[in-house]
Amino acid sequence: MKFGLRLRGGLLAALIMFGAPVVAPVGAIFVSSSALAQTVQSISVEGNRRVEVETIRSYFKPGPGGRLDQGAIDDGLKALIETGLFQDVKINRGAGGQIVVSVVENPVIGRIAFEGNKKIKDEQLTAEVQSKARGTFSRAMVQSDTLRIAEIYRRSGRYDVRVTPEVIEQPNNRVDLVFTVEEGAKTGVKSIEFVGNNAFSSYRLRDIIKTHESNLLSFLASNDIYDPDRVEADRDLIRRFYLKNGFADVQVVAALTEYDPDKKGFLVTFKIEEGQQYRVGSVDFRTSIASFDPTSMRNFSRVNVGSLYNVESVEKSVEDMQIEASRRGFAFAVVRPGGDRNFDAHTVSVVFNIDEGPRTYIERINIRGNTRTRDYVIRREFDLSEGDAYNRALVDRAERRLKNLDYFKTVKITTEPGSSSDRVVLIVDLEEKSTGDFSISGGYSTTDGALAEVSVSERNLLGRGLFAKASVTYGQYARGYSLSFVEPYLLDYRVALGLDFYQRTQLSNSYISYGTKTLGFSPRLGFSLREDLALQLRYSVYQQEITLPYYLANCNNVLGSSAFNPSPAFANLNGIDLSSTSGLGCYSDGEASLPVRKELANGKTLTSALGYSLTYNTLDNNKNPTDGLIVDFKQDFAGVGGDVTYLKTVADAKYYQSLVSDLVGLIHLQGGILTKVGSDLRMLDHFQMGPNLVRGFAPNGIGPRDLNPFGTQDALGGTKYWGASLELQMPFWFLPKEVGLKGAVYADAGGLYDYQGPTTWSVTNEMTTPKNSNCIPSTITPAATPGTCTGLVYDDSKVIRSSVGVGLIWASPFGPLRFDYAVPLTKGKNDRTQEFRFGGGTTF
């Protein structure tokens, strides 16, 4: 009596013959009673070429007494099929009732090739497929790989992709596997619509989400590619945006996507139910902890009565309160926010409940996925460690900090039960991304001309969380190089140490007659006092010198036996034309101002300064702000050694406010004071202002200026300045949001005055008088002795400069570009104007 069993492709069928046919249940395997007496060692194996006999026998697990029963044979057969090593497995009875396992091994893959793939490299596809060269061939695995390759292309926006696997037979039971790819055209998002949005326009909401519509410049970016995960994330971004603006009941019901074969792209529609907009009616604090004063948490609340209900402010308040409670010794305190809506008054009464939470401790912090970043770089972002009380607010803060590092594609922190009921294990799952950048940048501005920069940077150097950057700049009027290094955790404290070494060369141009060379070094320390408040301490030491063409500093002529330098204030003295008279023709090609020539004669000057910056920042978006305030206050004291002494104070504030119909208002205030300390001030230490203060004026076009009619009439700068700007930014509603264009109208006002630099110069070949002297020598002869009429003549009027203008702001794929046209309304008599200004650059 003989029976046979064959299993192919995962389908199990049994046929048993005992003299007469017997119908068996599906999946059953029957052997004779004599077969049940078999042991594992008595199993015979046929057809194996690479897999050892003992390996195959090991899948059959004997029962009590070392004998194989019916269940052991069933399990062994299934286990052999599941290995994927065999394309066919049979169990037969041999002579004498011996169990015979006949196998047909799957071929070995000799090589894997990809054909037709141009947009995705072979290396990336090889890493994604499960089939590997020198591995076992499996048709099921090949089918899975085919689907995986198609999915990769769909993620990159090519939904018309076709992937065809081809198996090429080779000798010795080997095969070559070839995936032929028909990539198809890129499938983008052709339309993004919003339904149910009444409070915010579709134009405004498109600025919130990450998915953009396809346009003519889409080939420079990838955010117009349809990605279902990104669309789902956009739903949450929309919801969070509404919750920030008082819509506590908002729901983004659905994100509907439809492929349009005519447009050859996807149509995305977000359905929104806004609900009512609420304001904060009251803020209360309650606790069930007997020794805890809940009202003491009021100073840590960012929720104010009368303001729009903002879920982010509530969440940040909860975090700050819970951390403060932990600092006070209530390690297990939990802050839970609550809110009662008044539908008639459209208000929310916010209540912060501080209660005792479960006494749970952190047993371990397990980090997974960091193949390059060191563990300590990740752990130092936590304000808690193993053995500490579990605090969800601190865990959320750590997750946010890890995301802000920009080292990882994804960061997710979850918990698992520990070894006991009061222990938890924190699981930190990470996916790393590239942190190195090589860029070639180009730009042009009306001030610096054409400019190019090559830079190499690394945000996570050696996996230690260090930042390093080297850059070289070469332009029409500006050149130089810089090296930067940042250690974000100095001596394991949350203090950033920065080191900067730089060299800059500014060449003379149509706005300044002289050039400057600067070589400097600056170490700095950065402290994060709060999430919205930062302090920086710095020391700067730099060497500076002026460069000047010879013909602009050659009016120290020797006439006869005496030195003579004609007064720069007058074209004619007693009828003598100084620009053409023999010996006085040095003025015919111009002459630099007295302070410039004095800087040139002084040679290299060393400046050594200590300073600090205090920055308050509540902007909603640092790149494209629409709401919030940023204030920057700086002071630098020069005189810690070196050749220069002064105290320089600068303040700058910008306030953004969303208005109606996607309009954004901007108020910009700025001011600065340079204070003389000890030695005289240099001209180079003064503030130089132009369109950075009042648009419509040329660089260095505002403020005190040398009036020498024969010279270059250089801007001298001032020790005091102030400026105020009011700007209204608006989108172009008739253009697609993805174009990135918006307009601006603005009005500027400001002033620069009080020059305190050199006005006289006592040297052998330079005559001296008080500044703005009006004396005229009675005669000029070759035998004249040095006169007394070369004091600096300059304009230092305190006229308020003002202008109005329009601007075009383009967030282009080539980088940010801005065009401004401004018309001065009031100006000084000797100011320089420049109505049109352009600036921008790109990285490629």
Side-chain angles (χ1 to χ4, degrees):
M1 185 166 50
K2 184 175 182 180
F3 75 90
L5 177 65
R6 178 184 180 94
L7 179 64
R8 183 188 299 268
L11 178 63
L12 182 63
L15 181 62
I16 301 93
M17 299 177 61
F18 289 94
V22 177
V23 177
V26 176
I29 301 174
F30 296 99
V31 296
S32 65
S33 58
S34 61
L36 295 177
Q38 298 291 326
T39 63
V40 172
Q41 294 302 319
S42 66
I43 295 176
S44 176
V45 179
E46 296 177 350
N48 58 310
R49 304 180 62 179
R50 298 188 312 276
V51 184
E52 298 291 337
V53 171
E54 291 302 322
T55 301
I56 295 175
R57 288 174 175 170
S58 68
Y59 287 92
F60 295 88
K61 307 297 183 183
R67 299 293 181 177
L68 289 173
D69 57 17
Q70 184 66 53
I73 294 174
D74 286 347
D75 293 341
L77 178 62
K78 294 176 182 178
L80 285 173
I81 292 298
E82 291 173 355
T83 62
L85 298 174
F86 310 102
Q87 59 179 320
D88 195 11
V89 179
K90 297 178 183 178
I91 297 181
N92 298 314
R93 279 253 351 253
Q98 184 182 25
I99 295 177
V100 179
V101 180
S102 299
V103 298
V104 178
E105 294 180 347
N106 275 324
V108 174
I109 301 174
R111 70 182 183 92
I112 297 178
F114 303 92
E115 296 181 356
N117 56 311
K118 298 179 181 179
K119 302 301 180 181
I120 301 179
K121 296 181 179 180
D122 287 1
E123 293 78 6
Q124 183 178 349
L125 294 177
T126 301
E128 293 290 344
V129 298
Q130 291 179 304
S131 299
K132 303 296 181 184
R134 295 182 297 279
T136 302
F137 172 81
S138 168
R139 294 190 180 277
M141 188 180 297
V142 170
Q143 183 64 26
S144 175
D145 291 339
T146 302
L147 296 176
R148 177 59 180 160
I149 294 172
E151 180 64 21
I152 294 172
Y153 272 92
R154 291 190 181 101
R155 292 288 181 181
S156 64
R158 298 181 182 274
Y159 275 76
D160 291 333
V161 63
R162 298 289 184 272
V163 183
T164 305
E166 182 181 0
V167 180
I168 303 174
E169 302 285 346
Q170 298 292 345
N172 301 320
N173 199 29
R174 303 177 72 86
V175 295
D176 290 342
L177 181 57
V178 179
F179 293 96
T180 302
V181 182
E182 298 177 19
E183 295 181 323
K186 179 181 176 182
T187 312
V189 176
K190 299 300 182 181
S191 171
I192 300 176
E193 300 296 336
F194 300 87
V195 177
N197 56 309
N198 299 314
F200 300 101
S201 68
S202 297
Y203 191 95
R204 181 72 179 95
L205 294 179
R206 288 191 186 99
D207 196 36
I208 301 301
I209 61 178
K210 300 296 183 182
T211 304
H212 291 171
E213 294 179 357
S214 299
N215 56 69
L216 293 176
L217 299 176
S218 293
F219 67 94
L220 296 172
S222 61
N223 50 12
D224 69 315
I225 296 170
Y226 174 68
D227 184 339
D229 291 340
R230 182 162 55 200
V231 171
E232 191 62 28
D234 287 339
R235 289 182 61 185
D236 187 61
L237 290 176
I238 296 171
R239 176 178 168 273
R240 297 287 297 181
F241 174 73
Y242 272 92
L243 289 174
K244 283 174 55 180
N245 288 277
F247 293 87
D249 300 323
V250 66
Q251 293 185 43
V252 184
V253 179
L256 306 177
T257 58
E258 178 185 1
Y259 180 77
D260 189 331
D262 295 330
K263 295 183 178 181
K264 295 183 178 180
F266 283 90
L267 311 180
V268 180
T269 303
F270 294 95
K271 297 185 67 175
I272 304 170
E273 293 181 1
E274 292 181 332
Q276 299 181 8
Q277 189 179 40
Y278 295 90
R279 291 188 175 273
V280 179
S282 62
V283 181
D284 196 11
F285 304 85
R286 302 172 185 171
T287 184
S288 60
I289 305 174
S291 58
F292 191 88
D293 179 13
T295 58
S296 64
M297 293 288 102
R298 189 172 296 277
N299 292 334
F300 299 91
S301 172
R302 305 189 185 193
V303 182
N304 299 315
V305 175
S307 63
L308 283 176
Y309 176 77
N310 186 334
V311 70
E312 286 194 358
S313 297
V314 173
E315 291 172 349
K316 290 179 180 178
S317 299
V318 168
E319 182 178 302
D320 292 343
M321 292 178 192
Q322 195 158 324
I323 292 173
E324 178 62 21
S326 178
R327 288 174 179 167
R328 295 183 183 182
F330 299 90
F332 301 100
V334 177
V335 181
R336 296 184 177 92
D340 294 327
R341 295 172 176 81
N342 185 324
F343 297 103
D344 296 329
H346 296 175
T347 60
V348 177
S349 299
V350 180
V351 179
F352 293 99
N353 298 291
I354 303 103
D355 301 312
E356 188 76 19
R359 292 183 171 271
T360 307
Y361 298 88
I362 298 174
E363 183 173 323
R364 293 190 314 278
I365 300 177
N366 292 341
I367 302 172
R368 303 187 301 210
N370 56 318
T371 57
R372 182 168 176 266
T373 306
R374 310 292 179 92
D375 270 15
Y376 73 85
V377 174
I378 299 166
R379 291 180 182 275
R380 68 190 183 187
E381 299 300 329
F382 287 81
D383 289 329
L384 40 73
S385 58
E386 284 91 345
D388 289 349
Y390 174 75
N391 188 318
R392 186 66 221 178
L394 292 178
V395 173
D396 290 341
R397 173 179 285 187
E399 183 171 337
R400 187 169 60 252
R401 286 173 176 172
L402 288 172
K403 290 178 179 178
N404 292 338
L405 289 177
D406 201 24
Y407 301 164
F408 312 103
K409 289 182 181 179
T410 58
V411 177
K412 187 175 182 180
I413 302 179
T414 57
T415 60
E416 292 182 355
S419 58
S420 60
S421 59
D422 64 344
R423 298 288 189 271
V424 295
V425 178
L426 293 184
I427 306 297
V428 184
D429 286 308
L430 310 165
E431 183 182 356
E432 293 188 312
K433 67 179 182 180
S434 175
T435 55
D437 292 306
F438 172 77
S439 67
I440 302 176
S441 305
Y444 179 83
S445 74
T446 47
T447 304
D448 298 324
L451 190 70
E453 180 185 80
V454 178
S455 66
V456 179
S457 65
E458 172 58 61
R459 300 191 304 276
N460 188 15
L461 185 64
L462 303 176
R464 299 176 182 272
L466 307 174
F467 173 84
K469 180 178 181 180
S471 65
V472 177
T473 303
Y474 190 89
Q476 190 174 356
Y477 302 120
R479 298 163 189 174
Y481 61 85
S482 65
L483 300 172
S484 298
F485 173 83
V486 177
E487 163 57 83
Y489 279 80
L490 181 63
L491 302 177
D492 291 330
Y493 290 98
R494 201 176 294 278
V495 177
L497 169 66
L499 303 173
D500 298 300
F501 180 79
Y502 57 90
Q503 188 274 333
R504 292 195 295 264
T505 300
Q506 180 70 47
L507 304 180
S508 60
N509 52 53
S510 57
Y511 304 109
I512 54 174
S513 66
Y514 55 91
T516 57
K517 290 183 178 179
T518 306
L519 180 65
F521 172 71
S522 178
R524 49 193 163 83
L525 294 175
F527 304 84
S528 179
L529 305 181
R530 293 188 330 207
E531 285 195 357
D532 55 3
L533 189 63
L535 172 67
Q536 183 190 90
L537 305 178
R538 61 182 172 272
Y539 170 72
S540 301
V541 56
Y542 57 91
Q543 178 181 276
Q544 195 172 38
E545 64 176 320
I546 276 185
T547 59
L548 197 64
Y550 171 76
Y551 63 86
L552 293 182
N554 64 347
C555 279
N556 292 325
N557 300 297
V558 177
L559 305 180
S561 59
S562 300
F564 178 74
N565 185 10
S567 169
F570 304 99
N572 289 276
L573 295 180
N574 293 340
I576 301 175
D577 185 356
L578 299 182
S579 63
S580 59
T581 301
S582 175
L584 303 178
C586 59
Y587 279 117
S588 63
D589 53 5
E591 186 74 1
S593 299
L594 181 150
V596 176
R597 288 180 285 129
K598 186 172 183 179
E599 292 287 350
L600 179 67
N602 290 338
K604 298 177 180 178
T605 302
L606 184 67
T607 300
S608 176
L610 286 173
Y612 71 92
S613 298
L614 193 62
T615 303
Y616 176 74
N617 186 349
T618 63
L619 297 182
D620 60 342
N621 187 313
N622 287 329
K623 291 185 178 180
N624 186 24
T626 60
D627 187 76
L629 173 68
I630 180 169
V631 179
D632 198 8
F633 182 82
K634 300 179 181 179
Q635 278 195 312
D636 289 279
F637 171 72
V640 189
D643 306 316
V644 179
T645 58
Y646 61 76
L647 176 64
K648 184 176 288 187
T649 304
V650 173
D652 188 285
K654 292 180 180 179
Y655 176 68
Y656 294 85
Q657 177 65 56
S658 295
L659 305 176
V660 295
S661 300
D662 303 320
L663 300 181
V664 177
L666 166 62
I667 299 176
H668 183 195
L669 303 176
Q670 55 180 317
I673 298 176
L674 177 66
T675 305
K676 178 180 176 180
V677 179
S679 61
D680 293 335
L681 296 172
R682 299 187 308 158
M683 182 201 71
L684 291 179
D685 296 327
H686 284 60
F687 298 112
Q688 296 285 356
M689 292 292 163
N692 55 332
L693 187 69
V694 180
R695 284 163 285 196
F697 289 83
N700 296 0
I702 294 176
R705 183 174 299 276
D706 178 17
L707 298 182
N708 179 0
F710 301 105
T712 54
Q713 297 190 340
D714 295 295
L716 304 176
T719 59
K720 300 178 180 66
Y721 79 91
W722 65 272
S725 298
L726 181 63
E727 182 170 313
L728 187 65
Q729 299 177 356
M730 67 205 76
F732 294 112
W733 292 278
F734 55 86
L735 292 177
K737 177 70 177 179
E738 289 68 28
V739 174
L741 278 173
K742 60 182 178 180
V745 294
Y746 51 82
D748 297 342
L752 174 69
Y753 50 91
D754 197 13
Y755 171 73
Q756 296 184 20
T759 57
T760 60
W761 190 12
S762 299
V763 294
T764 303
N765 293 337
E766 192 83 37
M767 297 175 293
T768 63
T769 59
K771 66 180 181 180
N772 290 341
S773 133
N774 292 320
C775 62
I776 300 176
S778 57
T779 59
I780 296 181
T781 65
T785 58
T788 57
C789 296
T790 56
L792 179 67
V793 180
Y794 64 96
D795 175 20
D796 194 0
S797 59
K798 293 181 174 59
V799 176
I800 296 177
R801 282 80 173 178
S802 63
S803 68
V804 293
V806 296
L808 182 64
I809 306 168
W810 186 19
S812 76
F814 309 102
L817 303 176
R818 176 153 183 155
F819 306 81
D820 282 297
Y821 181 79
V823 178
L825 300 179
T826 58
K827 63 177 182 176
K829 181 180 179 181
N830 297 288
D831 288 344
R832 304 289 188 265
T833 61
Q834 181 191 69
E835 295 182 347
F836 175 75
R837 179 174 171 82
F838 160 73
T842 183
T843 299
F844 49 88

